[in-house]
Amino acid sequence: MANVIVVGAQFGDEGKAKVTDLLAKNADVVVRYQGGANAGHTVVANGETYKFHLIPSGIVYNKTCILGPGMVIDPRAFLEELDGLIKRGLDDSSLKISATAHVTMPYHLTLDAAEEDKRGGNKIGTTKRGIGPTYADKCARSGIRMEDLLDKEVLKSKLEYLVPSKNVLLDRLYNLESMETEQILKEYLEYGKRLKKYVCDTSALIFEAVGQKKNILFEGAQGTLLDLDHGTYPYVTSSSPSAGGACVGAGVGPTIIDRVIGVSKAYVTRVGEGPFPTELIDKEGDRLRETGAEIGVTTGRPRRCGWFDAVLGRYSVRINGLDCLALTKLDVLDDFDEIKVCTEYKDCITGVVYKDLPSIGSRFNQMTPVYKTVKGWKKPTTDCKSVKDLPKEAREYLELIEEQLDVPVAIVSVGPKRDNTVVVEDPIHGPKRVLSKQATANV
Ligand code: GDP
Ligand code: IMO
Ligand code: MG
């Protein structure tokens, strides 16, 4: 029995869904604990490519899949995604939605886009899936929860109070058309009818599974550097993707967690605005983008690309308490003559060199990368099945990352398919990481 959190260790799109799918084979329950339809999670299995936004990747193995209370769910997007998956032969009989997950309403979608426009040059580059406004209403205690869609009177009274105030914003601040309470009520009660069979107390369900010694897998969306508290604020999402968020977002106590696995690309990508110290705005960046097919799953935007950043990696180890890493997309580096790893930052104003982030706040913008350059392996790795199949320079690259981050690389992904995977050591039952270098980080 092991309860495991899979968390993005960079800026999202690290290949979390591939890793979740791999581990789901031996799990009983897979839980998404935060985020909403902003996520784009790809699983390539059984000759098919699945792109999930709201539904946990565990559905491919037909495991009990839970959309946890920490999520924000757009029912329209959920039903569209579900219908598409059912058409392709996936089974929804073990799908559960938390009664207390918040609902993304039409005004959240409109406001997300309107707020972005208003920010002008300071825009965040959101996915426009209504994420920020839904979480803002949750915090303001003005949110609609899944259970409200099942009760006409409750939904009506909430909407009668909420929609007029949203209309003031839409009309006066953004010069946009007002919305009709009656129309929203009718549409969302219809969604409620369809969703009723999935809605339950998912925290109780997980607690029961824990009691039965089942294996629970927590699937993170986005990544540590997009975390509302620990990411590159304000260029973040509005939830807590980092490992701590899994307990709050799923409704479980931290004592049930056995392992935290961080998923990281062998380089770095980012979609949307915000700082990215190792970004390559040149031909090498283009090459990473083309070779890695770095196009956003949800928005179709090209992803910004750059070299692996060990400073951010160490930060992720610290914030999440990572036990090990799953390093993905190693194959994308197969053809490079030289590969760089950022080992330190230099403050471009003071000249001070930092091994660990001095601050994720405003000074972060001043950080320029200090690189270590290593030789590329110039051989295909996609068919490698074990560590000894990997070229010597590729093994040295993994060792460099392990040494820099002070965590073992347990899984290496060398292609999008399930069998394009090298398991270096059992990520769940292998030895646990012992705190050493991390404890001496800058304070
Ligand atoms: P997620 O949001 O973290 O689940 O990641 P995405 O699905 O947004 O992006 C990862 C992309 O990389 C997907 O298209 C995956 O199919 C693909 N992918 C995952 N692992 C590998 C790998 O090791 N090599 C290559 N070439 N592609 C991979
Ligand atoms: P997965 O789960 C990469 C980014 C957006 C934007 C910022 C805020 O596939 O890794 P939001 O719509 O959440 O308010 O946007 O966060 N972002 C992601 N980037 N992968 C994701 O999800 C992301 N979800 C949001 O591009 O910069
Ligand atoms: Mg993604």
Side-chain angles (χ1 to χ4, degrees), residues 308-319:
F308 188 86
D309 186 336
V311 183
L312 288 187
R314 284 192 284 274
Y315 181 73
S316 246
V317 171
R318 163 152 67 90
I319 293 294

Side-chain angles (χ1 to χ4, degrees), residues 68-179:
M71 285 188 71
V72 291
I73 302 167
D74 176 346
R76 211 183 289 172
F78 172 84
L79 289 168
E80 198 182 303
E81 183 174 339
L82 183 65
D83 288 342
L85 294 175
I86 292 172
K87 244 186 230 157
R88 294 174 71 186
L90 294 188
D91 184 356
D92 69 335
S93 58
S94 301
L95 196 57
K96 306 285 173 199
I97 303 176
S98 167
T100 58
H102 277 249
V103 181
T104 295
M105 303 297 290
Y107 44 80
H108 293 137
L109 294 166
T110 308
L111 286 171
D112 193 1
E115 284 166 9
E116 275 286 88
D117 276 353
K118 197 126 197 123
R119 285 186 192 110
N122 294 322
K123 71 173 180 173
I124 294 162
T126 76
T127 59
K128 301 195 178 162
R129 295 302 184 271
I131 306 300
T134 313
Y135 278 114
D137 269 354
K138 171 179 171 171
C139 290
R141 287 140 313 162
S142 299
I144 306 278
R145 310 209 290 187
M146 288 308 300
E147 62 190 1
D148 300 335
L149 303 187
L150 313 183
D151 187 325
K152 186 176 174 186
E153 287 317 307
V154 171
L155 187 61
K156 186 167 182 281
S157 77
K158 285 197 173 184
L159 289 177
E160 279 172 351
Y161 155 73
L162 287 168
V163 178
S165 66
K166 299 297 177 195
N167 281 339
V168 173
L169 272 181
L170 292 173
D171 177 34
R172 306 243 184 105
L173 194 58
Y174 298 114
N175 202 17
L176 290 168
E177 256 181 55
S178 294
M179 296 192 173

Side-chain angles (χ1 to χ4, degrees), residues 116-369:
E116 275 286 88
D117 276 353
K118 197 126 197 123
R119 285 186 192 110
N122 294 322
K123 71 173 180 173
I124 294 162
T126 76
T127 59
K128 301 195 178 162
R129 295 302 184 271
I131 306 300
T134 313
Y135 278 114
D137 269 354
K138 171 179 171 171
C139 290
R141 287 140 313 162
S142 299
I144 306 278
R145 310 209 290 187
M146 288 308 300
E147 62 190 1
D148 300 335
L149 303 187
L150 313 183
D151 187 325
K152 186 176 174 186
E153 287 317 307
V154 171
L155 187 61
K156 186 167 182 281
S157 77
K158 285 197 173 184
L159 289 177
E160 279 172 351
Y161 155 73
L162 287 168
V163 178
S165 66
K166 299 297 177 195
N167 281 339
V168 173
L169 272 181
L170 292 173
D171 177 34
R172 306 243 184 105
L173 194 58
Y174 298 114
N175 202 17
L176 290 168
E177 256 181 55
S178 294
M179 296 192 173
E180 294 286 338
T181 308
E182 267 309 310
Q183 205 177 317
I184 298 176
L185 178 66
K186 196 165 157 243
E187 185 182 343
Y188 280 70
L189 283 173
E190 279 307 310
Y191 294 143
K193 282 186 197 153
R194 269 206 72 191
L195 295 174
K196 192 170 181 220
K197 67 173 178 170
Y198 306 110
V199 177
C200 65
D201 181 344
T202 55
S203 166
L205 203 72
I206 301 172
F207 194 62
E208 189 180 277
V210 171
Q212 293 164 349
K213 307 251 178 285
K214 292 193 170 162
N215 298 309
I216 325 284
L217 193 56
F218 298 87
E219 179 182 20
Q222 289 80 53
T224 308
L225 276 307
L226 290 177
D227 188 285
L228 180 60
D229 293 288
H230 306 294
T232 54
Y233 191 89
Y235 302 99
V236 292
T237 191
S238 300
S239 67
S240 304
S242 56
C247 294
V248 180
V252 302
T255 44
I256 73 146
I257 305 298
D258 297 294
R259 289 285 159 130
V260 183
I261 302 176
V263 187
S264 207
K265 278 178 185 160
Y267 49 97
V268 182
T269 65
R270 175 167 202 164
V271 211
E273 308 303 315
F276 181 175
T278 62
E279 181 173 16
L280 294 167
I281 309 170
D282 59 12
K283 282 197 178 129
E284 277 186 318
D286 293 343
R287 202 168 152 202
L288 282 172
R289 189 173 309 106
E290 278 154 30
T291 317
E294 296 296 355
I295 302 292
V297 177
T298 300
T299 57
R301 290 178 291 178
R303 294 173 182 151
R304 300 155 65 192
C305 297
W307 297 120
F308 188 86
D309 186 336
V311 183
L312 288 187
R314 284 192 284 274
Y315 181 73
S316 246
V317 171
R318 163 152 67 90
I319 293 294
N320 297 298
L322 297 185
D323 288 302
C324 65
L325 270 191
L327 196 76
T328 62
K329 304 194 99 162
L330 187 76
D331 55 298
V332 174
L333 302 178
D334 282 354
D335 264 337
F336 282 80
D337 293 326
E338 285 186 336
I339 298 163
K340 289 185 182 167
V341 170
C342 165
T343 55
E344 293 168 331
Y345 288 159
K346 188 172 183 177
D347 187 319
C348 66
I349 295 176
T350 64
V352 177
V353 172
Y354 294 94
K355 191 105 182 112
D356 194 34
L357 279 186
S359 152
I360 198 84
S362 52
R363 272 202 293 159
F364 192 54
N365 278 327
Q366 289 165 218
M367 299 299 143
T368 50

